[in-house]
Amino acid sequence: MAVLLASFQAITWKTLVMYAIGGVLIYLAIKKDYEPMLLLPIGFGAILANIPFSSAIEENGFLTILYNAGIHTELFPILIFIAIGAMIDFGPLLQQPFMLFFGAAAQFGIFVTTLLARSLGFTLKEAVSIGIIGAADGPTSIYVANLFAGDLIGPISVAAYSYMSLVPLIQPPVIKALTTPEERKITMDLNLHPVSKTTRILFPIIVTLVAGSIAPKSVALVGSLMFGNLIRECGVLDKLSKAAQNELSNLVTLLLGITIGSTMVAEKFLTWKTIMILGMGLFAFIFDTAGGVLFAKLLNLFLPRKVNPMIGAAGISAFPMSARVIQKMAQKENPGNFVLMQAVGANVAGQVGSILAAGVLIYLVSSLGLS
Amino acid sequence: MTDSIVTTLRILLQSLGVTFFGMIIIYSAIKLLVKYFPEDNPEDQ
C-alpha cells in the first residue's frame, strides 16, 4: 500500500502546475486550434514527464530514448526540415527574388532579442538560443537550443510554437501601428512570369551550395530543407515527395512534440527563466514583424514603384500563416487588393533567411570556444 | 574570447551582415537562373 501511495505523496504544487500547463496546451490545441499537431503532444508529454516516478522518462523510458535518438542527435528537426522542404513551393519567391530581402529583414527580432536576453543576464549561448525564437521556426529553435542551451529546450520550444500559432493575433496590431491605411492599400504587380522547371530544380541545389559555403554550420538545416524541395520539384519522385509531406511530417511531428513535452519537468520548467523566455519570445515576434515592415518602408523611399509595407512582415518564416494574415489585412483595407503571392514569396524567403541566420550564429558562437 | 555584451553585439552585427550578404548572392543566383532558363523545353515536359 505504501508503494502505491508513494506516487501520490510525491505530488507537489509544482507537479500540479505542470499538469495544468499540459492541460492548457491540450485545451489550446483542441479548442482553439493553435498548432494542434504540436501543442497537443507537447502538453501530453509534459503530463507524462511530471507524474512522480514516471517510467516514461526514467533511464530507459521511451521518452528518454526518443530524446536521445531524436533531439540530442538533432535528427527530428532535420527530418522535419525535409518534410517542410517537400511542402514548400518556392515559385512565388523565384518569380520575385526581391522578396528575399524581406526574409532577411524580418530576422531582426532574433538579433534584438538576443541582445535583450544577454542584457538580462543570460549567457551568450542561452541568449542566442532564446533569440532564435525570432526565427519563427520551431525546428530551427529546437536545433539551436539543443546545441547551446539543452536545459532551456522546453520553454524555448513551447514559446516558438505557441507564438507561431498566435501570429494572426501578434502581427496585425504591430503592422497597424507602423503603417498608414494608404500604405496598406498599396497594390502589387499581379503579372508574374511562370518559372521554368529547370530553375525550380537548380534553386535548391544552388541555395544549399551558397548557404553551405557562407555558413557551413547551416548545411544540416538548409541541406535537409532543400533536399526535401528537390524531391518535390524533380518530378520523378512524387511518391517520396508525398511521403515526406505526409507520413514523414506527421510521424516526426508526433514524436517531436511528445519528446519536447517530456523535457518540461517541473524542476527545470517552473523557473523565472521560463517566464522570461516566454516574454522574450513574444518580443522576438513583434520585432521580426516590425523589422520587416520598417525595411519595406525604408525601401519605399527609393523604389519607383512602392511595395506594400505589410509584405515585409510576411518575411518571418511562420509559413503560411503570416502570408494569410497579410492578405487578409490587405483585403480589409481594399477588397480588390491581392498581395498573397508576394506575401508567400516573402514568407518562404523568411524560411531561407531564418536558417541562414541561425547557421551564421551557430558558426560565430561556436568559433568563440565558450564552454 | 570573453562572453561580454561587446562580443554579443559584434556577433550579432556580423551575423546580420552575413545573412544579408547570403541573400544578395541567392538573389543574384535566382536572377541568373531565371535569365538563362526562362522557360521549359517542351521535350522536357
Side-chain angles (χ1 to χ4, degrees), chain A residues 94 97-98 100-101 104-105 111 114-115 118 123-124 196-199 202-203 206-207 210 214 295 349 352-353 356-357 360-361 364 368 370, chain B residues 1-5 7-12 14-16 18-27 29-31 33-34 37-40 44:
Chain A
L94 295 170
F98 192 67
L100 273 169
F101 299 109
F111 305 105
T114 301
L115 209 53
R118 195 65 195 80
T123 66
L124 178 59
S196 70
K197 188 177 171 184
T198 313
T199 300
L202 289 175
F203 174 73
I206 289 175
V207 169
V210 170
I214 292 172
F295 183 70
V352 178
L356 192 57
V360 174
L361 276 171
L364 291 172
L368 291 177
L370 299 170
Chain B
M1 187 66 72
T2 54
D3 180 356
S4 66
I5 286 279
T7 310
T8 307
L9 257 177
R10 188 175 59 77
I11 281 185
L12 292 178
Q14 271 182 310
S15 175
L16 193 62
V18 175
T19 302
F20 266 95
F21 175 68
M23 289 306 212
I24 291 169
I25 296 182
I26 295 171
Y27 172 82
I30 295 176
K31 281 284 188 189
L33 281 175
V34 172
F37 303 102
E39 51 197 40
D40 291 316
D44 293 339

Side-chain angles (χ1 to χ4, degrees), chain A residues 242-322:
Chain A
K242 287 198 172 79
Q245 292 178 44
N246 299 299
E247 289 84 357
L248 180 69
S249 165
N250 292 339
L251 184 61
V252 182
T253 302
L254 174 81
L255 298 178
L256 180 74
I258 199 163
T259 311
I260 290 297
S262 76
T263 65
M264 294 164 63
V265 179
E267 284 68 31
K268 284 184 188 171
F269 195 82
L270 293 179
T271 63
W272 281 108
K273 277 188 175 178
T274 298
I275 294 168
M276 284 198 278
I277 288 169
L278 293 176
M280 284 187 283
L282 180 60
F283 184 84
F285 272 66
I286 289 171
F287 274 85
D288 275 346
T289 306
V293 172
L294 293 175
F295 183 70
K297 288 179 69 134
L298 177 71
L299 289 180
N300 276 348
L301 296 175
F302 309 100
L303 292 175
R305 175 162 185 168
K306 306 295 178 206
V307 175
N308 188 319
M310 292 198 295
I311 300 292
I316 75 168
S317 70
F319 178 84
M321 264 173 300
S322 186

Side-chain angles (χ1 to χ4, degrees), chain A residues 91-364:
Chain A
L93 174 63
L94 295 170
Q95 288 171 316
Q96 322 145 83
F98 192 67
M99 296 297 153
L100 273 169
F101 299 109
F102 297 128
Q107 307 310 317
F108 186 59
I110 296 178
F111 305 105
V112 183
T113 309
T114 301
L115 209 53
L116 176 68
R118 195 65 195 80
S119 62
L120 287 174
F122 287 89
T123 66
L124 178 59
K125 285 185 170 182
E126 288 174 337
V128 166
S129 305
I130 295 166
I132 289 291
I133 295 172
D137 186 15
T140 306
S141 297
I142 293 169
Y143 189 91
V144 177
N146 183 54
L147 217 54
F148 288 154
D151 281 352
L152 302 181
I153 200 166
I156 286 175
S157 309
V158 170
Y161 283 113
S162 304
Y163 293 132
M164 259 160 56
S165 67
L166 292 174
V167 157
L169 299 179
I170 296 171
Q171 286 205 306
V174 180
I175 295 169
K176 278 189 179 173
L178 295 172
T179 55
T180 62
E182 284 66 37
E183 285 174 323
R184 297 196 289 274
K185 283 177 188 160
I186 294 175
T187 56
M188 302 289 291
D189 187 6
L190 289 173
N191 296 317
L192 301 173
H193 297 289
V195 179
S196 70
K197 188 177 171 184
T198 313
T199 300
R200 285 173 178 270
I201 291 173
L202 289 175
F203 174 73
I205 299 171
I206 289 175
V207 169
T208 306
L209 289 172
V210 170
S213 304
I214 292 172
K217 293 279 183 187
S218 72
V219 169
L221 293 174
V222 80
S224 52
L225 182 79
M226 291 302 157
F227 172 60
N229 192 249
L230 184 59
I231 289 174
R232 173 196 174 96
E233 299 296 352
C234 70
V236 293
L237 293 174
D238 275 357
K239 278 187 183 174
L240 288 189
S241 172
K242 287 198 172 79
Q245 292 178 44
N246 299 299
E247 289 84 357
L248 180 69
S249 165
N250 292 339
L251 184 61
V252 182
T253 302
L254 174 81
L255 298 178
L256 180 74
I258 199 163
T259 311
I260 290 297
S262 76
T263 65
M264 294 164 63
V265 179
E267 284 68 31
K268 284 184 188 171
F269 195 82
L270 293 179
T271 63
W272 281 108
K273 277 188 175 178
T274 298
I275 294 168
M276 284 198 278
I277 288 169
L278 293 176
M280 284 187 283
L282 180 60
F283 184 84
F285 272 66
I286 289 171
F287 274 85
D288 275 346
T289 306
V293 172
L294 293 175
F295 183 70
K297 288 179 69 134
L298 177 71
L299 289 180
N300 276 348
L301 296 175
F302 309 100
L303 292 175
R305 175 162 185 168
K306 306 295 178 206
V307 175
N308 188 319
M310 292 198 295
I311 300 292
I316 75 168
S317 70
F319 178 84
M321 264 173 300
S322 186
R324 285 189 199 142
V325 168
I326 305 308
Q327 171 59 23
K328 208 172 158 185
M329 288 185 74
Q331 277 199 311
K332 202 172 171 186
E333 295 291 343
N334 172 6
N337 198 0
F338 292 95
V339 298
L340 187 64
M341 289 311 277
Q342 284 79 8
V344 169
N347 219 178
V348 296
Q351 192 78 53
V352 178
S354 65
I355 294 177
L356 192 57
V360 174
L361 276 171
I362 291 171
Y363 172 72
L364 291 172

